[in-house]
Amino acid sequence: MSDQTRAARLLHLRAETLQKGDPVALPLTLASMYHLPGDPAGVPGYGRMDNATVEALEHALALLEDAPCLAFPSGMAAISAALFATLKAGDRLLIPSDGYYTTRLLADRFLARLGVTVDTRPTASFAEGGLAGYAVVFLETPSNPGLDLCDLSAICAEIRAAGGVSIVDNTTMTPFGQRPLDLGADIVVASDTKAPNGHSDALMGHVATRDDNLLEELRAWRKLGGGIPGPFEAWLTHRGLETLELRFARMCDSAEALAPRLADHPRVARLRYPGLPGDPAHNLARRQMARPGLLIGLELDSAETAERFIDTCPLLQPATSFGGVHSSAERRARWGDAVAPGFVRLSVGIEPVEPLWAALKESLDAL
Ligand SMILES: *Cc1c(COP(=O)(O)O)cnc(C)c1O
């Protein structure tokens, strides 16, 4: 099924099971208890395992991933589930040194003390040194925030051949930008707090896998660990998902139009965007990504210049996180990421591109 067909079908997914008189829009089911006399089999039993709104979200995500999905209350809850459900004492885990920093903190602080050896490598040279001996390999491409890439199909094939499990964090791309399961990954994790919800008003995450045994472990982890999404957040994310294809297409189109103009601006010292022909990852991006994404990394000459750019541009929301309808930006070194002090992660929103460019240019010109 093509991305376009998936996007079209998503909007009619609920209609496939509607009975006459049912609301067309997804109802919000707020329930911890269900009416449950006698034999509990076959009906919703308790809110930690069963919720119709959460299941509708998972059904929609499963269509987009072309794989069974489990929703989690945040991207980190999804990542925790994937790591804790696959690792045991004595195992070795390989994660990116330049990916989302909380994943590294989680591994260093909690997995290491349970007897997991945690190694890190930069995304751009991830396969160097071999992948044998790792029980689990965690990948993130393009990496957040540096936007380096690694070759998913080559790396996932090597991990599988060595008997390891591959987990790919696909948050920066969404299923409309990159399809890690089709490229050989065992598990996809994502923060739906970003573009999938897209309205900056809820946290959510999901895990997708086509492996029945892994799915069973992940489901058990969620049920026993208790990291279950709230129905209202699931409802909001389901609503966001219905416009993801439209928003993501606009964001990528705009980012593609803006990246070369920003790269040419005299105040921009360096720029990373996988869609830019001169980018070191461009060829790989063309091979494994359907779209070049909504994130642009640009470097200004100092922390002060970068802060001034972010704060003075009227169409930039200074904020952490990305993928919202409004363009936003932040200086990642403020969190300690290993990037230059003047490095700005720009998340391109759904504003019409010409007014957005005019605002960005005016703020850069005035620096
Ligand atoms: C934001 C993010 C996460 C964590 O998601 P939350 O929903 O904030 O828990 C994980 N991975 C990447 C790449 C992210 O950008």
Side-chain angles (χ1 to χ4, degrees), residues 30-365:
L30 294 169
S32 60
M33 284 190 204
Y34 297 90
H35 181 59
L36 193 67
D39 181 359
V43 292
Y46 182 55
R48 185 153 27 76
M49 286 81 86
D50 306 303
N51 182 277
T53 309
V54 174
E55 282 155 25
L57 170 64
E58 291 174 338
H59 192 44
L61 288 166
L63 173 68
L64 297 190
E65 294 283 10
D66 194 14
C69 282
L70 294 171
F72 286 85
S74 67
M76 282 316 303
I79 290 170
S80 303
L83 292 173
F84 281 85
T86 52
L87 285 161
K88 61 180 188 321
D91 281 348
R92 289 175 67 204
L93 165 69
L94 180 62
I95 58 175
S97 56
D98 53 350
Y100 188 66
Y101 72 115
T102 314
T103 307
R104 262 187 329 276
L105 295 182
L106 174 76
D108 287 344
R109 181 152 181 182
F110 292 103
L111 291 169
R113 75 181 188 201
L114 294 176
V116 173
T117 303
V118 182
D119 292 340
T120 63
R121 274 185 208 165
T123 296
S125 55
F126 205 76
E128 283 172 27
L131 299 159
Y134 287 105
V136 175
V137 179
F138 189 95
L139 305 151
E140 188 183 309
T141 176
S143 60
N144 170 20
L147 303 181
D148 273 323
L149 268 60
C150 60
D151 186 331
L152 282 178
S153 51
I155 292 175
C156 290
E158 198 176 328
I159 297 163
R160 183 163 296 185
V165 172
S166 54
I167 303 173
V168 178
D169 184 336
N170 201 36
T171 300
T172 52
M173 290 316 295
T174 85
F176 287 117
Q178 178 169 266
R179 309 190 58 74
L181 294 175
D182 293 349
L183 297 171
D186 293 311
I187 298 175
V188 160
V189 293
S191 168
D192 299 314
T193 308
K194 314 293 168 55
N197 174 56
H199 293 75
S200 313
D201 51 11
L203 283 94
M204 190 60 63
H206 77 267
V207 172
T209 181
R210 294 172 185 160
D211 181 311
D212 291 343
N213 294 328
L214 289 173
L215 184 69
E216 228 16 74
E217 285 298 288
L218 290 160
R219 193 185 297 282
W221 164 264
R222 185 177 69 170
K223 176 176 156 182
L224 304 177
I228 189 85
F232 185 50
E233 280 74 11
W235 186 88
L236 285 170
T237 308
H238 181 273
R239 165 174 279 207
L241 218 53
E242 292 189 317
T243 55
L244 173 60
E245 188 268 342
L246 192 62
R247 289 181 287 106
F248 188 70
R250 162 67 75 93
M251 289 164 162
C252 292
D253 287 346
S254 295
E256 271 188 298
L258 293 172
R261 299 186 202 180
L262 288 166
D264 283 345
H265 195 281
R267 299 312 303 256
V268 175
R270 242 185 302 278
L271 183 138
R272 285 303 303 269
Y273 184 63
L276 211 57
D279 191 89
H282 183 63
N283 286 339
L284 178 55
R286 287 180 54 126
R287 277 212 311 280
Q288 76 181 9
M289 288 153 58
R291 296 304 314 269
L294 53 94
L295 292 177
I296 298 175
L298 53 110
E299 210 176 298
L300 303 179
D301 63 12
S302 68
E304 295 68 36
T305 314
E307 295 288 3
R308 209 166 347 117
F309 167 59
I310 295 168
D311 289 347
T312 57
C313 182
L315 296 188
L316 274 187
Q317 171 61 52
T320 196
S321 196
F322 57 86
V325 288
H326 40 253
S327 291
S328 66
E330 77 165 331
R331 203 174 60 75
R332 285 303 298 186
R334 69 178 179 164
W335 300 108
D337 279 355
V339 289
F343 176 91
V344 174
R345 185 185 63 197
L346 173 64
S347 170
V348 177
I350 63 167
E351 302 89 350
V353 69
E354 291 309 330
L356 179 56
W357 166 243
L360 293 170
K361 180 175 184 305
E362 193 174 331
S363 298
L364 285 171
D365 287 347

